[in-house]
């Protein structure tokens, strides 16, 4: 049994194309390895920079937390002092109000006397005309 010639030609062409593709892939693999070797230091440098930036961001976040805590404490202190001032003002006003309540009848009487005196003056001035 003899192999057909076409079968041998197709097999030979397939073998040749397969060999060329294998060689091309081998060359591409070598080039990719060279590119990876060139990129490795750059990637490591970027990794170092990212690590440094991560540390800086962590430090900044810590500082922001400390500032926020300090601001919160300051606001709490100012709020308590404001409440204290408001309470003192309320007490002062209440005390002044109580003091004025004692003299309220006398003040009302004095204003009534002033109104009567002015009415008397107006009536007198009209009668002179």
């Amino acid at each position: 049994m003899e192999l057909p010639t076409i079968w041998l030609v197709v097999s030979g062409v397939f073998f040749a194309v397969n060999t060329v593709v294998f060689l091309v892939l081998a060359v591409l693999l070598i080039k990719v390895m060279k590119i990876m070797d060139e990129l490795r230091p750059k990637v490591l440098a970027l990794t170092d920079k990212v690590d440094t930036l991560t540390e800086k961001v962590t430090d900044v976040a810590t500082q922001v937390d400390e500032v926020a805590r300090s601001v919160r404490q300051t606001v709490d202190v100012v709020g308590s002092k404001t409440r204290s001032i408001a309470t003192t003002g309320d007490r002062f006003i209440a005390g002044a109000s109580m003091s004025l309540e004692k003299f309220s009848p006398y003040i009302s009487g004095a204003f009534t006397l002033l109104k009567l005196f002015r009415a008397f003056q107006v009536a007198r001035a009209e009668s002179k005309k």
Side-chain angles (χ1 to χ4, degrees), residues 16-57:
V17 169
N18 193 18
T19 304
V20 169
V21 168
F22 180 77
L23 290 175
V24 168
L25 286 175
V27 169
L28 286 175
L29 179 64
I30 291 171
K31 286 188 178 186
V32 167
M33 287 176 60
K34 285 181 184 178
I35 291 172
M36 286 178 62
D37 285 341
E38 291 173 5
L39 290 176
R40 182 168 300 177
K42 293 178 183 178
V43 169
L44 291 174
L46 284 175
T47 302
D48 291 340
K49 286 182 181 179
V50 167
D51 289 341
T52 303
L53 287 175
T54 302
E55 290 175 13
K56 288 181 181 179
V57 167

Side-chain angles (χ1 to χ4, degrees), residues 16 100 103 108:
L100 285 176
F103 298 108
S108 296

Side-chain angles (χ1 to χ4, degrees), residues 3-106:
L3 289 173
T5 310
I6 189 77
W7 183 260
L8 291 175
V9 170
V10 170
S11 294
V13 169
F14 181 76
F15 178 76
V17 169
N18 193 18
T19 304
V20 169
V21 168
F22 180 77
L23 290 175
V24 168
L25 286 175
V27 169
L28 286 175
L29 179 64
I30 291 171
K31 286 188 178 186
V32 167
M33 287 176 60
K34 285 181 184 178
I35 291 172
M36 286 178 62
D37 285 341
E38 291 173 5
L39 290 176
R40 182 168 300 177
K42 293 178 183 178
V43 169
L44 291 174
L46 284 175
T47 302
D48 291 340
K49 286 182 181 179
V50 167
D51 289 341
T52 303
L53 287 175
T54 302
E55 290 175 13
K56 288 181 181 179
V57 167
T58 303
D59 291 343
V60 168
T62 303
Q63 290 174 354
V64 167
D65 285 342
E66 290 172 2
V67 168
R69 194 174 307 115
S70 174
V71 167
R72 191 174 306 124
Q73 289 173 349
T74 302
V75 167
D76 290 343
V77 168
V78 168
S80 67
K81 288 185 179 185
T82 304
R83 278 192 289 289
S84 173
I85 290 171
T87 303
T88 303
D90 286 344
R91 288 179 185 164
F92 176 76
I93 290 172
S97 173
M98 289 176 71
S99 296
L100 285 176
E101 283 180 15
K102 291 178 189 175
F103 298 108
S104 158
Y106 303 116

Side-chain angles (χ1 to χ4, degrees), residues 107-121:
I107 292 172
S108 296
F111 280 132
T112 303
L113 285 176
L114 280 174
K115 284 183 182 179
L116 287 173
F117 182 71
R118 284 190 186 154
F120 180 71
Q121 283 181 341

